[in-house]
Every structure is written in structure tokens, then in C-alpha cells.
Amino acid sequence: MKRIIVVGNGMVSHKFCLKLRTIAGSDTYEVVIYGEETWPAYDRVHLSEYFTEQSVDKLLMAPSDWYQDQNITLKTGQLIISIDPQQRTVLTHEGKTDHYDYLVLATGSRPFVPKIDGVEKRGVFVYRTIEDLDQIISYAKNIKRGAVLGGGLLGLEAAKALLDLNLDAQVIEFAPRLMPRQLDEAGSNTLKSEIESLGIEILLNKNTSKVAGTDQMAGLEFADGSQLDTEMLVISCGIISRDELAESAGLEKGARGGFKVNEYLQTNDPNIYAVGEAAAFNDMIYGLVAPGYDMAEIAANHITDQASKTFTGADMSTKLKLIGVEVGSFGDALGDTPGSIPISFEDKNSGIYKRINISSDKKHLLGGILVGDTSDYGMLLQITQNSMAIPPNPEDLILGTRGGQANGNTILDLPDTAQICSCENVSKGDLVDAIKSQNITDLKELRNCTGAGTGCGACSPMVGDIFSAQLKEMGQTVRKTLCPHFDYTRQELYSLIKVKGIKTYNELLDQYGEGDGCETCKPAVASLLASIWNDKILKQETIQDTNDRFLANIQKGGSYSVVPRVPGGEITPEKLIAIGTVAKKYDLYTKITGGQRIDMFGARLNDLPKIWRELIDAGFESGHAYGKSLRTVKSCVGSTWCRYGLHDSVSYAIEIEDRYKGIRSPHKLKGGVSGCRRECAEAQAKDFGLIATELGYNLYVCGNGGANPQHAKLLAGDIDEKTAIKYLDRFLMFYIQTAEPLNRTAVWLNKLDGGIDYLREVVVEDSLGIGEDLEKDMQALIAAYHCEWKEAINDEKMMKRFSHFANSDDYDPTQQFSSMREMKKPAGWESISK
Ligand SMILES: Cc1cc2nc3c(=O)[nH]c(=O)nc-3n(C[C@H](O)[C@H](O)[C@H](O)COP(=O)(O)OP(=O)(O)OC[C@H]3O[C@@H](n4cnc5c(N)ncnc54)[C@H](O)[C@@H]3O)c2cc1C
Ligand code: SF4
């Protein structure tokens, strides 16, 4: 039996073994793996999860008995130090030799550490292995400040990790922008401002010249003479291939290192292959996992003499969520193609930047950048890669909507060869064939049988879209499950939580989910639990959005805003004075919002409980401006003062706002009440709006302003106040129970089969016979109302959260303010806030 030795046991090595066994079975080749690390292969892509979970088991690519089951000998903690290609042997660091017929080098890479004076000092780390993370975690326990050198993908991920370790974090980047290889200046600015709003400081154009200190680092010095007071440095400046075995074996290297390979991943010795980050194809080293997986499959096919495709290079497009900010970069992202025309869209308020580059003849999409909203990424990537026709107004590509359709090109228009999952090499044709030939009606089953979406996960939304579109085309109903960890729709989970009385995320995951959860299901379940039980959102500690975590909206520079409820926009002079007193005492910037209340900006984390105690003493309640819940019910002055007013719109708005305050929903909710058809409260731009008529009120639903404004639609006309409340109870509860996470009512209505007519049947005509149940459910939520801030300030455990440092009450020293029109504003944002 031929013997294969694999050197290195990283993700690509594992994939190679998996493919080899799938192709040739477990008794055709003897396989021995030598891995330098003490663990079997683990998921390096999700390494940062180790900071929160601190569990190696959860990261493992396969359980340790997998190797035994596959008849593979795994030798961990074994470094191969040389190769003898004549004898076909390898030598271990313990002096043992082993014979191979084929050798596969999957030695990966190591972090590049720039030659900076003092870089060897204690307190300087790299970020690549579980051991690195263990060291960082342990060192961080005794310090307050940490910096990351490198503003690329990994650097930003490392900075988030430092923040999670309760350190004051800075990112230092040599280039004038973040992620210089993927983003242009505007994209970098958007990302920078979003990241800085979380409290991570970004220093661009900084050439680090020295790590200060004696044995232990004590700060950084830069070439421009400036210094940074920090106690730890994590270096994330790129990678270098682990090609040190090349010399002993006489193997050629690429121009920038790495074992030089041909299209079958063979080195210049045909019995020695190299894959993953160790391989240099056309002098290129791919620092992503998908090309490595592709290489692993091709090498396994070639060794086993299977007709194989060849490696021709890989696309470096990326989509990921960086510290909660979505970032995508694809094709010719920076518009380097001669004659390319850039089209961009920027919404500074929402932190969104989109840019596409089209060809000079305006027929093709060349590439682009998405920051803040990557929902169009999958389709744009496919349009680029398959040279699909673009619409006559190409800007529609970034201004339109998603959901299986992207402006002229539906997802099923993609050619069958379009590669959807690059990790597992699954095309659109493979997915459609599997759905048709195996009668698949379940997304999880599709994932299991094709492998699509089981790698880095970036293609998951597109796999879901193809699945839905294909089933729809075949006339079948589509179940849209929440995410790979829950094989249930949001609506099904809603029912399960309610019927089974589930109160925590972990309970739900244990009983109905699998894995550890993700950024999609954690906040979605937090919102469901809050919607159903109207319980304290602060209790859902590990799964909340940042804003929910501190019951306040985080703002530029890392300070918070405070918004007390002002029902209907009516406020007494005493309360106005109370707000003024608090704002003055805590030096807060005050602004009247579009929802008719007063927002106080610039609050320090440590001050939030004190501010709220004073506001609550003055009779205020939480305004839930931070939550996915009812914001305001705006009212015009109505018949009390206005000569045109038909009814008392203010009293009615107050009644409605008090009724639904605090109720959690799939997205934020806004309402409005106008005293006549002149519509001064803009009720038709709200999720629900009432406009007074001679005979009562017209009730409008599902409107919103924002990036895609939509007028509300008439649900019922000339109804009295009591009936309107009944319909509102039913409408809101139906929305809460059936909408997908983060869908505003307008989006929900657009997706509802039958649209407003169907909604009217359900709410007004009670066609499903659930009207009473919806009213009862709403009543239960209303009865469970509590002011979250009132409870929080009386809960000692929760109050501990409101401190910037774990071991001191000091303010965050990086938060700086300057003055503007006699109030304060965040310092250092001048160029962005112009
Ligand atoms: C924090 C982090 C986040 C990342 N995020 C992403 C992402 O979002 N998307 C993405 O596509 N990629 C990401 N990557 C990159 C991705 O992890 C790598 O592309 C991938 O792991 C490369 O796999 P590999 O098997 O080639 O190398 P490695 O994972 O480096 O494995 C090589 C193994 O070989 C061992 N070895 C080396 N030399 C020897 C020897 N002589 N003898 C024995 N053993 C040896 C090494 O110790 C190592 O265990 C990330 C990387 C990190 C560190
Ligand atoms: S909507 Fe009508 S009632 Fe209300 S303020 Fe305007 S004009 Fe007056």
C-alpha cells in the first residue's frame, strides 16, 4: 500500500485527508500526519471565538477519534525538520525518520514580524495559534491598554479581541487607510468611524520605530516623533509561508517565498506536493482558506490518479463581519482597470458605503466595495465573475433591494457554472441539481448533501436565496430557517419558546439548536425572548447587541446617548428643567429628535446609571432608543390648540405610546397621530399612523422613512379609537410573530403574499380566526411592562457592567471632546463630520 505523509495539521491538511478518504476510501493509502502543534487540526478562521468560549474542542475540525476511524495516524507535537527526497524520508525533531511515497506539505504560514527595535520584548505577541491566544489572555489580566500593529482584516479582529478582554484598544496602521488592499479611502473612513464608535482608536499613517521599555514593553514610538502609551502589542502585519523545508529537499520557492507548485500542486519533485498557505502558485500565496481547500482537493485527486481539474488561481474577494461591521470587497475593488468608472453611494448616518466599478463601455461590473451593508455581495460577486449584463442604470445595483432578486438579474439567471461556495467548490448548477434530483425541501439537508456553506460560511445567504428561488420556481413553499444553528423559522422558534416556556438562549440552543450559535441567531433569539416575555433584555448577557448591553446607543468616540421617553412629545416645564439640569451637570450635548423627544449625547459609560437615576427621580422612563422596540408615537398639536384639528391627537398618541412602550419587536417601531388630513405628525411615514377624519380615524400601516422610504398603506378607514387600538394590537402582534429578524414593517409587508389586502383580511376580517389570540398575547406583553433602566439601577450585578475598566472607576481616557456652538462634540471627527 502506498504511503502518504502529510506535514502540518492545519485546516488544509485536514481537508486534504478528508478528500483523499472520500475519493479513495480508508484502506487504499496509508496516511500519516505530522503536526507541530499539540492539537489536532482546528478552525483557525474562527480562532477569535476562543476568546469568548475558551474551548479547543469547539474549534476542532473533527473529533480526535475521526483520525482513527479514517485509518489515519496523527502525530501531534512533531516537527519535521528535513526531507531526504532521494530516500523519500522525513526527519522529525526527535531524530526519527519515516518513509513516504508521496509527501504533502501543508505547513501553512507564520505571522510576519517587522524588524522594529525592541520587538522581542515581553508584552509583544502574534495572533495565529491557540497558544498565542492563551498567552494574550493571560498577559491581558494585569494591564489596561493594548495595541494592534496592522489595520488589515486580522488586525481589526485582534483589536476586537483586546476590547473583549476589557483593554483599551488601539490599531496602528502604516498605510493611510484601513484594509488598504480591500478598501478605498471612503470605504476605510466609513469602517474607521464605525469601529471608533465602539471605542477602538485607529491611528493611520503611523510608522512604528521602537517598542519602548526594558525587558517588558512600555509603549510605542513612531517615526514622526509621537508616542503611544500602551502595555501590550499584538502584531498582525501579514504572513510568511512556512517553507523552511525547501532547502533540505532542494525544492524551488516562489518569488515571495512558499513552495513553488504547478497546476496539480506538485513541487519540482513530482512526489512532493504543497497546499494551502505553504504553496506559491504563479508566485502568489493565498492567505485565505478557500483557495487552500481547492488545492487540497486537486492534490488528492492527482495523487489518486483521478481525472482532476487544475488549479488556476483563486478569487480574493472577501465578505466578513468585522467587529459587527459588515465589509465586502470583490473583483477589481479599487478600480485599477484602465477606463473603469466608479459609482458610489454613502450614508454617513447609517454607516454605509457602497462602490462599484463598471467597465468603460458600461456593460460589465468589474468589482466593488461594500461597508456597513453587504446584503448585495453574493449577487454582485456573481454578476462580476460571470460577466453578466448590468442594468441600464448601473447605480440600481447598489441602491436596489435584495431577496433573491438583484435589479434585473434574478438569482436563477446565474449560469449553472457560477461558483457559489468556494470553500467546497459548489456551483449554482450543483445546488439546483441536488434540489431537483433529491427532492430536497430543507436548507440544512441541501447544505449537508452538497457541503455548500459549511466552510467559512460567507456564501450562506446566497445558498439560502438559491434554495428559496428554486423551490418557488418548482411551486413549493419555502421554509426560511433562522441560520445553520436552528433548523426552524423565526415563527416556529417563536412558538417553541412560548409553548415550552423557554427563558434563555442556551436552553433554546440545547433543546432545539446545534453548535454554538452565531451573530445571526444570538440577537434574533434575544429579541424573540424579549418580545415574548417582555423580560429584562440585560439578562440575555452574551447574546445582546452592544446597544442593548448598556441600554444606550453608542456614539462616535465611544460615548453614549441618553433618551428618556416623552410620550406623544408632550412635556411639562418641570421635566424640561430636569433634562436641562442633568444635561448641564454631566456636560451633555442636547438635541431635539425627529421623534419629538430630547436626546442627550456624550455620556460616559460610568455616568449612565447616575444620569438615569436622576431622570427616573424626575418621573422619566427609558425611551428604548437603543432597542428594537417602540420608539415614539409622534403627534401634532391636535384639536386642543389647532384651529383645524378634528380630534385630540396628543392624548391619543400618549395613550398609544404608553400602551406599546417597551415591547420588543423584529425591528424598531414608530407611530404617529395627526389631528386632521394636513398630517403634521407625518403619520403615513410610520410603521403605524392614525389620521383624524370627521368620523373617527384612518389607520395606516407599514410606512417608513430612512434609506428606502415607503408610504404607509390604509388598513382601515373611519374607525373609532377603540377599534383602532384593537386593530393595532392585532397588527403589531402579527408582525412580531411572523416577521424575519431586522425586517421593518414595510419590508415585512412587501414580502407578505397578498400584501395589504391579505393583512387587512387577517387583522380586520379575522380570516385566520386568530384575532382574539393576538389581542390576548399583546395584553400579556403590555401587562409585563417594566422600565428597564429603573430595574437596572436597582440591580447591583448589572451595575458592575457600567464601568470602563474592570478594576477602576476611571473614565475612558481616550474619549476626548471639543466644543461647538456652546456645547460639546466628539474631538477628532472634524474631517468626517463636515
Ligand atoms: C485569526 C485568524 C482569522 C482568519 N480568518 C480568516 C477568514 O475569515 N477567512 C479566510 O479565508 N481565512 C482566514 N484566516 C486564514 C486561514 O486561517 C488560513 O488561510 C488557513 O488556516 C491556512 O491553512 P493551512 O492549513 O494552509 O495552514 P495553517 O493553518 O497555518 O496550518 C499549518 C500547520 O502546519 C504546522 N507546521 C508547520 N511546519 C511544520 C513542520 N515542519 N512540521 C510539522 N508541522 C508543521 C503548523 O504548526 C500548523 O499547525 C484567518 C487566520 C487567522 C489566524
Ligand atoms: S395635522 Fe391638522 S390638526 Fe394636527 S396640527 Fe396639523 S393642521 Fe392641526
Side-chain angles (χ1 to χ4, degrees):
M1 195 189 294
K2 293 255 162 91
R3 188 173 160 86
I4 302 175
I5 288 184
V6 184
V7 185
N9 188 213
M11 296 176 79
V12 177
S13 155
H14 176 76
K15 177 62 78 178
F16 170 81
C17 296
L18 190 76
K19 289 288 172 192
L20 185 85
R21 286 309 190 215
T22 313
I23 298 164
S26 58
D27 48 10
T28 39
Y29 292 86
E30 196 183 346
V31 179
V32 182
I33 310 174
Y34 286 91
E36 177 193 22
E37 292 187 73
T38 43
W39 313 104
Y42 57 86
D43 185 351
R44 212 176 293 284
V45 169
H46 292 104
L47 186 62
S48 299
E49 287 172 17
Y50 186 72
F51 278 111
T52 40
E53 304 282 338
Q54 303 211 358
S55 156
V56 178
D57 283 354
K58 288 191 172 164
L59 285 180
L60 292 184
M61 301 298 293
S64 36
D65 51 9
W66 179 85
Y67 297 90
Q68 224 173 341
D69 293 349
Q70 297 295 320
N71 198 13
I72 292 173
T73 308
L74 170 63
K75 301 192 179 200
T76 53
Q78 295 282 311
L79 180 72
I80 297 298
I81 54 168
S82 68
I83 304 167
D84 182 340
Q86 275 75 42
Q87 299 299 318
R88 293 199 189 158
T89 56
V90 292
L91 179 67
T92 74
H93 73 293
E94 290 173 339
K96 293 185 186 145
T97 55
D98 198 354
H99 173 264
Y100 65 81
D101 295 300
Y102 297 105
L103 183 66
V104 178
L105 301 172
T107 49
S109 61
R110 64 160 55 92
F112 166 66
V113 178
K115 287 190 180 123
I116 299 171
D117 185 11
V119 80
E120 70 295 336
K121 292 194 167 76
R122 224 155 18 95
V124 180
F125 300 91
V126 290
Y127 192 75
R128 175 93 196 167
T129 64
I130 288 175
E131 276 80 8
D132 294 336
L133 266 63
D134 278 335
Q135 289 176 17
I136 291 172
I137 292 168
S138 146
Y139 199 83
K141 284 186 182 141
N142 303 314
I143 58 167
K144 290 182 181 173
R145 291 175 296 276
V148 175
L149 192 63
L153 297 175
L154 278 188
L156 296 174
E157 203 173 309
K160 166 72 167 54
L162 296 191
L163 200 67
D164 288 345
L165 290 172
N166 281 329
L167 297 187
D168 185 11
Q170 279 102 8
V171 173
I172 302 148
E173 169 58 50
F174 178 76
R177 57 183 197 266
L178 288 174
M179 294 176 62
R181 279 192 275 170
Q182 286 93 358
L183 298 184
D184 61 6
E185 196 181 334
S188 161
N189 280 344
T190 307
L191 179 63
K192 182 171 177 280
S193 83
E194 291 297 301
I195 291 179
E196 288 195 316
S197 72
L198 298 178
I200 296 176
E201 194 187 352
I202 311 271
L203 306 171
L204 299 175
N205 283 313
K206 283 283 174 196
N207 183 359
T208 310
S209 55
K210 187 173 176 184
V211 179
T214 45
D215 285 357
Q216 187 166 349
M217 77 161 287
L220 293 172
E221 294 176 14
F222 303 108
D224 60 7
S226 59
Q227 297 175 343
L228 181 70
D229 179 17
T230 186
E231 298 157 280
M232 176 200 254
L233 182 67
V234 178
I235 295 184
S236 177
C237 295
I239 52 168
I240 305 186
S241 279
R242 300 268 315 254
D243 57 11
E244 54 267 28
L245 292 171
E247 276 77 25
S248 66
L251 300 179
E252 286 176 31
K253 295 207 264 186
R256 278 172 285 172
F259 302 105
K260 188 171 180 163
V261 291
N262 66 13
E263 67 273 35
Y264 297 109
L265 287 313
Q266 287 168 300
T267 62
N268 51 311
D269 179 332
N271 293 316
I272 303 181
Y273 293 73
V275 290
E277 289 186 353
F281 177 77
N282 285 344
D283 288 333
M284 175 85 183
I285 289 157
Y286 295 95
L288 295 173
V289 76
Y293 279 4
D294 212 10
M295 291 176 179
E297 184 174 4
I298 292 168
N301 271 312
H302 199 250
I303 289 175
T304 52
D305 286 332
Q306 303 292 315
S308 163
K309 64 170 192 155
T310 53
F311 188 75
T312 51
D315 183 63
M316 293 298 278
S317 302
T318 20
K319 182 189 118 175
L320 64 161
K321 202 163 183 177
L322 272 173
I323 321 190
V325 187
E326 294 180 3
V327 179
S329 167
F330 59 96
D332 178 10
L334 301 176
D336 294 332
T337 310
S340 78
I341 307 166
I343 301 174
S344 62
F345 159 79
E346 195 170 0
D347 175 355
K348 283 185 177 157
N349 183 39
S350 309
I352 291 174
Y353 171 73
K354 299 183 180 187
R355 165 183 173 163
I356 50 172
N357 303 310
I358 58 169
S359 57
S360 52
D361 60 5
K362 302 183 183 165
K363 288 191 174 150
H364 298 292
L365 183 57
L366 302 172
I369 294 168
L370 303 169
V371 180
D373 173 11
T374 55
S375 51
D376 293 327
Y377 174 85
M379 198 64 189
L380 291 175
L381 177 66
Q382 293 300 336
I383 293 173
T384 308
Q385 288 181 339
N386 297 290
S387 296
M388 291 167 76
I390 57 176
N393 301 316
E395 66 274 15
D396 290 354
L397 287 169
I398 45 175
L399 296 176
T401 52
R402 182 179 155 257
Q405 173 141 8
N407 313 300
N409 287 301
T410 73
I411 196 123
L412 292 181
D413 289 339
L414 290 176
D416 281 350
T417 48
Q419 193 189 48
I420 305 299
C421 173
S422 46
C423 293
E424 295 295 327
N425 194 13
V426 184
S427 68
K428 176 225 161 190
D430 297 334
L431 291 170
V432 170
D433 280 353
I435 297 168
K436 282 186 184 162
S437 63
Q438 298 179 44
N439 270 334
I440 292 178
T441 54
D442 183 89
L443 184 55
K444 195 170 150 202
E445 205 183 326
L446 181 65
R447 283 201 193 101
N448 287 345
C449 99
T450 59
T454 57
C456 71
C459 66
S460 289
M462 199 132 200
V463 174
D465 283 349
I466 291 177
F467 174 69
S468 305
Q470 183 57 35
L471 281 194
K472 211 165 177 185
E473 171 131 320
M474 289 158 62
Q476 298 195 23
T477 326
V478 182
R479 272 179 86 239
K480 193 147 190 197
T481 53
L482 193 61
C483 74
H485 304 101
F486 287 99
D487 190 27
Y488 296 94
T489 61
R490 181 186 180 276
Q491 202 173 348
E492 287 166 340
L493 285 176
Y494 185 99
S495 306
L496 285 171
I497 292 172
K498 201 167 161 211
V499 173
K500 304 282 175 187
I502 292 172
K503 295 284 171 69
T504 67
Y505 175 80
N506 286 342
E507 255 179 88
L508 187 71
L509 189 69
D510 286 349
Q511 292 182 39
Y512 296 101
E514 58 182 61
D516 304 321
C518 62
E519 300 226 23
T520 302
C521 62
K522 286 179 179 176
V525 171
S527 140
L528 278 174
L529 289 165
S531 291
I532 295 168
W533 306 121
N534 212 350
D535 204 358
K536 290 179 207 165
I537 194 86
L538 276 179
K539 274 195 348 200
Q540 313 297 337
E541 248 188 77
T542 52
I543 56 173
Q544 301 146 358
D545 289 336
T546 317
N547 289 344
D548 276 333
R549 204 170 146 68
F550 298 114
L551 300 179
N553 286 346
I554 191 159
Q555 306 290 352
K556 278 181 180 171
S559 66
Y560 291 84
S561 68
V562 173
V563 192
R565 187 167 296 287
V566 180
E570 183 182 87
I571 187 162
T572 61
E574 287 73 24
K575 282 190 164 175
L576 272 177
I577 290 167
I579 286 189
T581 308
V582 166
K584 225 170 160 181
K585 180 168 170 187
Y586 294 95
D587 187 20
L588 304 175
Y589 168 87
T590 48
K591 170 104 177 61
I592 313 263
T593 72
Q596 300 184 330
R597 44 194 190 174
I598 299 167
D599 204 338
M600 289 173 264
F601 294 86
R604 313 245 193 195
L605 184 64
N606 312 32
D607 286 341
L608 285 174
K610 289 180 254 171
I611 292 173
W612 272 105
R613 196 175 287 280
E614 292 187 30
L615 290 171
I616 285 166
D617 286 347
F620 285 103
E621 291 181 309
S622 165
H624 291 95
Y626 47 81
K628 302 282 177 273
S629 53
L630 179 75
R631 296 286 164 86
T632 60
V633 180
K634 186 172 179 174
S635 69
C636 74
V637 74
S639 60
T640 319
W641 293 91
C642 177
R643 289 179 297 125
Y644 302 107
L646 296 170
H647 306 307
D648 179 2
S649 50
V650 181
S651 300
Y652 198 29
I654 294 172
E655 182 188 338
I656 296 172
E657 185 160 340
D658 277 337
R659 186 173 183 81
Y660 302 122
K661 65 188 174 188
I663 289 173
R664 298 275 169 166
S665 45
H667 210 305
K668 64 185 170 194
L669 286 168
K670 294 181 178 179
V673 185
S674 281
C676 81
R677 64 182 170 80
R678 286 170 187 77
E679 249 284 66
C680 295
E682 296 154 343
Q684 288 171 94
K686 308 281 186 259
D687 296 279
F688 58 88
L690 289 138
I691 301 177
T693 66
E694 303 285 347
L695 301 174
Y697 280 97
N698 283 345
L699 171 59
Y700 293 85
V701 292
C702 302
N704 67 219
N708 294 310
Q710 185 166 316
H711 254 97
K713 297 198 163 52
L714 183 67
L715 186 74
D718 292 329
I719 49 177
D720 60 38
E721 291 187 6
K722 212 167 140 221
T723 310
I725 295 273
K726 177 166 91 171
Y727 290 167
L728 270 178
D729 279 2
R730 292 180 180 184
F731 158 71
L732 290 173
M733 209 60 226
F734 190 49
Y735 162 65
I736 290 171
Q737 291 183 1
T738 61
E740 286 164 35
L742 299 182
N743 275 196
R744 285 286 296 266
T745 53
V747 178
W748 169 68
L749 181 68
N750 295 344
K751 290 181 180 175
L752 210 59
D753 268 349
I756 187 70
D757 293 335
Y758 171 71
L759 186 61
R760 193 175 297 113
E761 281 169 25
V762 175
V763 172
V764 178
E765 292 156 29
D766 197 11
S767 59
L768 301 179
I770 56 171
E772 263 185 42
D773 289 341
L774 293 172
E775 287 167 48
K776 246 193 261 162
D777 286 349
M778 178 54 85
Q779 200 49 54
L781 288 183
I782 294 167
Y785 170 76
H786 50 269
C787 169
E788 288 172 347
W789 263 111
K790 198 171 188 171
E791 297 201 338
I793 55 173
N794 291 318
D795 186 326
E796 255 181 53
K797 190 169 160 246
M798 284 179 188
M799 279 303 94
K800 287 205 176 114
R801 213 179 267 184
F802 293 90
S803 170
H804 189 75
F805 298 110
N807 48 3
S808 122
D809 291 333
D810 289 354
Y811 286 133
D812 176 357
T814 62
Q815 278 174 17
Q816 300 293 332
F817 300 95
S818 56
S819 77
M820 183 181 65
R821 295 186 291 279
E822 294 167 51
M823 286 196 282
K824 74 177 181 188
K825 66 166 187 164
W829 295 88
E830 287 73 10
S831 59
I832 295 166
S833 54
K834 259 178 211 161

